Amino acid sequence: QVQLVESGGGLVQAGGSLRVSCAASGRIFSISVMGWYRQTPGKQRELVAAITSVGSKNYIDSVKGRFTISRDNAKNTVYLQMNSLKPEDTAVYYCNVRDSFNTYWGQGTQVTVSS
């Protein structure tokens, strides 16, 4: 069984920063891609950022230059540093981890940006 534990969400004013973290544990093998998705009510979950095992990164256009994804392979942990936050970044952020066999999701952490 695999567990993904997310932390770091919260409430911040526009222009502020937050960092969310996701630690994977349990029977997980050769993690390939780790990423963050977000979802708001009535909308589809969208990929925000992803990072491969060798450090290649991609971002949704709306967060480029503001968000940075990173990972610690030794700790099976992925981070998302979010700077210059905007109200439109408000969403539930979900961690996503893929290993050799499966895809796993975190429970979600709320990020709220007030104007």
Side-chain angles (χ1 to χ4, degrees):
Q1 192 168 351
V2 174
Q3 298 84 36
L4 299 184
V5 178
E6 300 172 3
S7 60
L11 172 64
V12 65
Q13 288 188 329
S17 298
L18 281 175
R19 189 177 83 154
V20 289
S21 304
C22 172
S25 62
R27 292 178 59 82
I28 194 162
F29 304 94
S30 300
I31 294 176
S32 56
V33 181
M34 305 182 85
W36 289 95
Y37 288 69
R38 66 187 181 188
Q39 189 170 24
T40 54
K43 292 190 176 181
Q44 283 192 326
R45 194 171 294 187
E46 64 176 0
L47 175 65
V48 177
I51 182 169
T52 70
S53 58
V54 295
S56 296
K57 306 174 185 179
N58 68 285
Y59 299 92
I60 193 173
D61 283 348
S62 60
V63 308
K64 287 180 179 177
R66 300 188 297 121
F67 290 12
T68 302
I69 190 169
S70 60
R71 63 190 279 175
D72 184 333
N73 290 330
K75 297 180 179 179
N76 286 342
T77 299
V78 61
Y79 307 94
L80 185 67
Q81 177 67 43
M82 301 180 288
N83 299 328
S84 301
L85 281 160
K86 304 176 181 180
E88 51 263 44
D89 294 317
T90 295
V92 178
Y93 284 70
Y94 295 91
C95 172
N96 175 276
V97 173
R98 288 177 240 168
D99 71 0
S100 301
F101 301 102
N102 289 299
T103 297
Y104 307 96
W105 290 93
Q107 78 280 5
T109 185
Q110 178 70 45
V111 171
T112 302
V113 185
S114 63
S115 57

